Amino acid sequence: MEAPQKLYLLDYGAGNVRSLVNAVEKLGHTITHIDTVEDFARADKIIFPGVGAFGYAMQALRNKGFVEPLLAYIASGRPLMGICVGMQVLFEGSDESPDEPGLGVFEGRVERIDSSTKTVPHMGWNAAHVVGAHTTQGPDMGGDRRYYFVHSYAVPYTACGRQQEFVHTATRYGDEVVVSSAWQKNVFATQFHPEKSGAAGLSALQSFIERDLVRSSDLVEISAPATIEAALTKRVIACLDVRANDQGDLVVTKGDQYD
């Protein structure tokens, strides 16, 4: 009988990982926290979520002595999935923390989303468009599905340089197109939160946990940024309102409920 895989969670102390643990358990799996450097050698797969600032994440990894073990784990060919800031630190650096180098797994730099033309952060449900066809079966993503984003910094999608080697999906937010997931060899990462993205997010997470997502080195033609369509979902929120009742008293009521 084949031994179950050892799935580990790399939590550098940012907190807010309970929703990810719940999502993993909903899929029928268990996940163990990485507490020591030795845990990297025990892991078959690692999920690396992140919230907060780029600089804090990198400093926390260094303070725990996790940077070199993490890079060695990646170099070993075992699968890693980064989420949100856990994806951003896989790049070379970020404008959020200019003096703090990233892990450099992917080429490129994280930049602040332009707030002069739209609201920042980019928050809500948006599409993730697969930008190229691969010879290897990729993560279960794309189509008409929507994913939950909340971030002020992102990697611009340019379709230039080495992006054809690692960009898996791109997402339009207003006048900008950003990398919403990256996939290169044994490393898969998402800017959105799969654990907060309903069935669509669970499918992406499940494909990482239950399949061997190792991308071949074949270069593929990828879509131009101009072809990535806008798909941000508009939200209608029922608000509270203040009105006078029949007796002339001011009362608080739901905006869609009146006598």
Side-chain angles (χ1 to χ4, degrees):
M1 181 177 178
E2 185 178 352
Q5 69 174 356
K6 297 174 182 176
L7 180 64
Y8 275 76
L9 173 72
L10 177 52
D11 178 12
Y12 55 86
N16 199 29
V17 298
R18 186 65 236 179
S19 58
L20 176 60
V21 173
N22 290 343
V24 171
E25 293 176 348
K26 183 177 179 63
L27 292 171
H29 301 276
T30 57
I31 191 165
T32 303
H33 286 249
I34 288 180
D35 294 318
T36 67
V37 168
E38 290 72 26
D39 287 332
F40 286 91
R42 302 183 181 105
D44 295 318
K45 292 184 177 181
I46 292 176
I47 301 178
F48 178 20
V51 295
F54 180 100
Y56 174 81
M58 286 304 306
Q59 290 169 15
L61 289 175
R62 290 194 175 91
N63 291 340
K64 290 177 175 288
F66 284 174
V67 171
E68 293 306 321
L70 176 56
L71 291 173
Y73 171 89
I74 294 171
S76 75
R78 287 171 290 167
L80 172 78
M81 181 177 182
I83 297 173
C84 197
V85 175
M87 168 177 144
Q88 293 182 4
V89 298
L90 295 171
F91 286 85
E92 295 168 313
S94 173
D95 290 349
E96 185 176 20
S97 307
D99 298 327
E100 193 72 49
L103 296 172
V105 175
F106 301 128
E107 178 187 79
R109 189 171 182 84
V110 183
E111 300 179 7
R112 181 167 174 79
I113 297 172
D114 183 6
S115 61
S116 68
T117 56
K118 55 195 171 297
T119 301
V120 174
H122 168 209
M123 180 163 45
W125 296 79
N126 209 335
H129 301 276
V130 177
V131 299
H134 307 289
T135 57
T136 310
Q137 184 181 12
D140 186 12
M141 292 175 59
D144 294 329
R145 287 174 281 193
R146 298 291 187 274
Y147 304 90
Y148 185 73
F149 292 81
V150 53
H151 60 113
S152 300
Y153 291 82
V155 177
Y157 175 59
T158 63
C160 298
R162 299 179 62 182
Q163 286 200 348
Q164 66 181 145
E165 298 177 14
F166 65 82
V167 176
H168 183 54
T169 64
T171 294
R172 178 173 292 280
Y173 181 48
D175 54 353
E176 294 182 72
V177 180
V178 302
V179 176
S180 49
S181 70
W183 179 36
Q184 185 176 41
K185 297 180 180 178
N186 54 307
V187 180
F188 170 54
T190 65
Q191 179 61 68
F192 60 85
H193 286 271
E195 77 280 12
K196 298 179 181 180
S197 299
L202 286 177
S203 292
L205 191 60
Q206 185 175 31
S207 61
F208 170 78
I209 296 173
E210 299 181 4
R211 291 183 5 217
D212 291 326
L213 290 182
V214 180
R215 178 174 169 175
S216 69
S217 57
D218 296 342
L219 297 180
V220 296
E221 184 177 350
I222 57 178
S223 305
T227 67
I228 305 301
E229 297 180 353
L232 183 65
T233 300
K234 290 183 173 60
R235 295 174 293 167
V236 178
I237 303 173
C239 299
L240 297 179
D241 201 1
V242 177
R243 65 176 178 86
N245 62 14
D246 293 340
Q247 288 73 43
D249 301 316
L250 290 177
V251 295
V252 176
T253 183
K254 290 183 179 179
D256 61 346
Q257 298 284 329
Y258 292 98
D259 294 338

